[in-house]
Coordinates of all heavy atoms in Angstrom, one line a residue:
A1 N 122.0 149.2 157.1 CA 122.1 148.1 156.2 C 121.2 146.9 156.7 O 120.8 146.1 155.9 CB 123.6 147.6 156.1
R2 N 121.0 146.8 158.0 CA 120.2 145.8 158.5 C 118.7 146.1 158.6 O 117.8 145.3 158.2 CB 120.6 145.5 159.9 CG 122.0 144.8 159.9 CD 122.6 144.7 161.3 NE 121.8 144.1 162.3 CZ 122.0 144.1 163.6 NH1 123.0 144.7 164.1 NH2 121.1 143.5 164.4
H3 N 118.4 147.4 159.0 CA 116.9 147.7 159.1 C 116.4 148.4 157.9 O 115.2 148.5 157.7 CB 116.6 148.5 160.4 CG 117.3 149.8 160.5 ND1 117.0 150.9 159.7 CD2 118.2 150.2 161.4 CE1 117.7 151.9 160.0 NE2 118.4 151.6 161.1
R4 N 117.2 148.9 157.0 CA 116.9 149.5 155.7 C 115.9 150.8 155.8 O 115.1 151.0 155.0 CB 116.2 148.5 154.8 CG 117.1 147.3 154.6 CD 118.2 147.5 153.6 NE 117.6 147.8 152.3 CZ 118.3 148.0 151.2 NH1 119.6 147.8 151.3 NH2 117.8 148.4 150.1
R5 N 116.1 151.5 156.9 CA 115.4 152.8 157.1 C 116.3 153.9 157.3 O 117.4 153.7 157.9 CB 114.4 152.7 158.2 CG 113.3 151.7 158.0 CD 112.3 151.7 159.1 NE 112.9 151.3 160.4 CZ 112.6 150.2 161.1 NH1 111.7 149.4 160.7 NH2 113.3 149.9 162.2
P6 N 116.0 155.1 157.0 CA 116.8 156.3 157.4 C 116.9 156.4 158.9 O 115.9 156.4 159.6 CB 116.1 157.5 156.8 CG 115.1 156.9 155.8 CD 114.8 155.6 156.3
S7 N 118.1 156.4 159.4 CA 118.3 156.4 160.9 C 117.7 157.6 161.5 O 117.4 157.6 162.7 CB 119.8 156.4 161.2 OG 120.4 155.2 160.8
R8 N 117.5 158.7 160.7 CA 116.9 159.9 161.3 C 115.4 159.8 161.4 O 114.8 160.6 162.1 CB 117.3 161.1 160.5 CG 118.8 161.4 160.5 CD 119.3 162.5 159.6 NE 119.3 162.3 158.2 CZ 120.1 161.5 157.5 NH1 121.1 160.9 158.2 NH2 120.1 161.3 156.3
D9 N 114.8 158.8 160.8 CA 113.3 158.7 161.0 C 113.0 157.2 160.8 O 112.6 156.7 159.8 CB 112.6 159.4 159.8 CG 111.1 159.4 160.0 OD1 110.6 158.8 161.0 OD2 110.4 159.9 159.2
L10 N 113.1 156.5 162.0 CA 112.9 155.0 162.0 C 111.4 154.7 161.9 O 111.1 153.5 161.9 CB 113.5 154.5 163.3 CG 115.0 154.5 163.3 CD1 115.5 154.0 164.7 CD2 115.6 153.8 162.2
T11 N 110.5 155.7 161.9 CA 109.1 155.4 161.7 C 108.8 155.1 160.2 O 107.7 154.6 160.0 CB 108.2 156.6 162.1 OG1 108.5 157.8 161.3 CG2 108.5 157.0 163.6
Q12 N 109.7 155.5 159.3 CA 109.4 155.2 157.9 C 109.5 153.6 157.7 O 110.2 152.9 158.4 CB 110.5 155.9 157.0 CG 110.3 157.3 157.0 CD 111.3 157.9 155.9 OE1 111.6 157.3 154.9 NE2 111.6 159.2 156.2
A13 N 108.8 153.2 156.7 CA 108.9 151.8 156.3 C 110.2 151.5 155.7 O 110.8 152.3 155.1 CB 107.8 151.5 155.2
P14 N 110.7 150.2 155.9 CA 112.0 149.9 155.3 C 112.0 150.0 153.8 O 110.9 149.7 153.2 CB 112.2 148.4 155.8 CG 111.3 148.2 157.0 CD 110.1 149.2 156.8
H15 N 113.1 150.4 153.3 CA 113.2 150.4 151.8 C 113.9 149.1 151.4 O 115.0 148.8 151.7 CB 114.1 151.6 151.4 CG 114.5 151.6 150.0 ND1 113.6 152.0 149.0 CD2 115.6 151.2 149.3 CE1 114.1 151.8 147.8 NE2 115.4 151.3 148.0
G16 N 113.1 148.3 150.7 CA 113.6 147.0 150.2 C 114.1 146.1 151.3 O 115.2 145.7 151.4
P17 N 113.2 145.8 152.3 CA 113.6 145.0 153.4 C 114.2 143.6 153.0 O 115.0 143.1 153.7 CB 112.3 144.8 154.2 CG 111.2 145.1 153.3 CD 111.8 146.0 152.3
E18 N 113.8 143.1 151.8 CA 114.4 141.9 151.4 C 115.9 142.0 151.0 O 116.6 141.0 150.9 CB 113.6 141.3 150.2 CG 113.8 142.1 148.9 CD 113.1 143.4 148.8 OE1 112.3 143.8 149.7 OE2 113.3 144.1 147.8
Q19 N 116.4 143.2 151.0 CA 117.8 143.4 150.7 C 118.6 143.7 151.9 O 119.8 143.9 151.9 CB 117.9 144.6 149.7 CG 117.3 144.5 148.4 CD 117.9 143.3 147.6 OE1 119.1 143.1 147.7 NE2 117.1 142.5 146.9
A20 N 118.0 143.6 153.1 CA 118.7 143.7 154.4 C 119.8 142.8 154.5 O 119.7 141.6 154.1 CB 117.7 143.6 155.5
L21 N 120.9 143.2 155.1 CA 122.0 142.3 155.4 C 121.9 141.8 156.9 O 121.2 142.4 157.7 CB 123.4 143.1 155.4 CG 123.8 143.7 154.0 CD1 125.1 144.4 154.1 CD2 123.8 142.6 152.9
T22 N 122.5 140.7 157.1 CA 122.5 140.2 158.5 C 123.5 141.0 159.3 O 124.2 141.7 158.8 CB 122.9 138.7 158.5 OG1 124.3 138.6 158.1 CG2 122.0 137.8 157.6
A23 N 123.4 140.8 160.6 CA 124.3 141.5 161.5 C 125.8 141.1 161.1 O 126.7 142.1 161.0 CB 124.0 141.1 162.9
L24 N 126.1 139.9 160.8 CA 127.4 139.5 160.5 C 127.9 140.1 159.1 O 128.9 140.6 158.9 CB 127.5 138.0 160.5 CG 129.0 137.4 160.1 CD1 130.0 138.0 161.0 CD2 129.0 135.9 160.0
Q25 N 126.9 140.1 158.2 CA 127.3 140.7 156.9 C 127.5 142.2 157.0 O 128.5 142.7 156.3 CB 126.1 140.4 155.9 CG 126.0 139.0 155.4 CD 124.7 138.7 154.7 OE1 123.7 139.4 154.9 NE2 124.7 137.7 153.9
A26 N 126.8 142.9 157.8 CA 127.0 144.3 157.9 C 128.4 144.6 158.6 O 129.1 145.5 158.2 CB 125.9 144.9 158.8
L27 N 128.7 143.8 159.6 CA 130.0 143.9 160.2 C 131.1 143.6 159.2 O 132.1 144.3 159.2 CB 130.1 143.0 161.4 CG 131.4 143.0 162.2 CD1 131.7 144.4 162.8 CD2 131.5 142.0 163.3

């Protein structure tokens, strides 16, 4: 929810990075 990439392939570009949640919002 914070980095907006599939955890299995962090080399991919984020999907909609402007939609990322902050650490507190994710918690």
Side-chain angles (χ1 to χ4, degrees):
R2 292 169 52 193
H3 63 63
R4 304 283 298 185
R5 293 184 297 244
S7 296
R8 292 176 289 288
D9 185 3
L10 294 174
T11 63
Q12 290 188 29
H15 172 77
E18 72 283 357
Q19 296 299 320
L21 297 181
T22 67
L24 180 58
Q25 289 169 336
L27 180 60

